[in-house]
Amino acid sequence: MDSEAKWYVAHTYSGYENKVKDGIEAAVESRSMHHLIEEVFVPMYEVEETKGGQRKLVMKKVFPGYVLVKMILTDESWYVVRNTRGVTGFVGPGSKPVPLSSNELRSLGIKEKMPPALDIRVGDSITILSGPFEGFAGNVEEVNIEKRKIKANISMFGRETPVELEYSQITKN
């Protein structure tokens, strides 16, 4: 078995995602399995809905019927997740769970290993290290810490052009 925790997808009854998350976390707690099952995650996003003329923000599930579990796959961890009330199985061929690939994790916005935070603020001068604007210099206009992205203005063709860049693409001057 693997010694490094990976992300797996558990299929659940629709509407049971949070109950499954709570159930797995309770089992981890009661069986002291923190070393095997590290994290349980139900991806959510915020959407504005209007009901009866009232506008309010509501959390919606990104993947109804699915829960992401970061675990070291062993017989014991597989058994605990698979036998949690509301879980119908794992995503993968047959009965063998398949971990999510690096590209799949990136597209979901999950970082495998978070790089150190970049000390950057609005107004800072940066140089672009990679991508189509490599070598350009610019000034930071906006910083999004959660997404690890910045918006900067660069001088291109004699005019200021806004670009969105990831932390990994830039260095602070």
Side-chain angles (χ1 to χ4, degrees), residues 127-145:
T127 300
I128 302 171
L129 301 173
S130 64
F133 304 108
E134 183 177 341
F136 281 91
N139 290 317
V140 177
E141 296 295 319
E142 194 178 303
V143 179
N144 186 330
I145 296 167

Side-chain angles (χ1 to χ4, degrees), residues 1-129:
M1 295 285 170
D2 209 345
S3 63
E4 187 181 325
K6 294 190 169 128
W7 286 97
Y8 295 88
V9 181
H11 189 268
T12 69
Y13 295 126
S14 192
Y16 276 70
E17 300 87 356
N18 290 324
K19 289 179 187 132
V20 165
K21 178 182 187 291
D22 295 342
I24 294 170
E25 288 172 345
V28 166
E29 199 65 42
S30 68
R31 295 174 182 232
S32 296
M33 294 179 61
H34 300 280
H35 63 288
L36 292 177
I37 300 175
E38 293 181 7
E39 194 175 340
V40 185
F41 181 54
V42 179
M44 307 277 273
Y45 66 97
E46 211 172 45
V47 68
E48 195 174 287
E49 284 186 353
T50 307
K51 272 192 181 172
Q54 294 281 327
R55 295 172 84 171
K56 66 181 195 178
L57 293 174
V58 179
M59 295 302 285
K60 296 262 189 187
K61 291 171 189 75
V62 176
F63 306 110
Y66 296 94
V67 174
L68 302 176
V69 182
K70 186 175 186 180
M71 66 181 187
I72 297 171
L73 187 60
T74 65
D75 290 341
E76 186 183 10
S77 64
W78 179 89
Y79 179 86
V80 166
V81 175
R82 178 65 187 90
N83 290 297
T84 298
R85 186 183 188 113
V87 173
T88 59
F90 280 97
V91 172
S95 61
K96 186 181 187 316
V98 177
L100 292 171
S101 70
S102 296
N103 288 341
E104 290 167 328
L105 289 171
R106 225 174 293 121
S107 69
L108 291 172
I110 299 172
K111 302 284 188 229
E112 290 172 274
K113 294 199 173 35
M114 289 295 275
L118 188 62
D119 181 30
I120 196 147
R121 293 185 178 78
V122 172
D124 285 350
S125 176
I126 54 113
T127 300
I128 302 171
L129 301 173

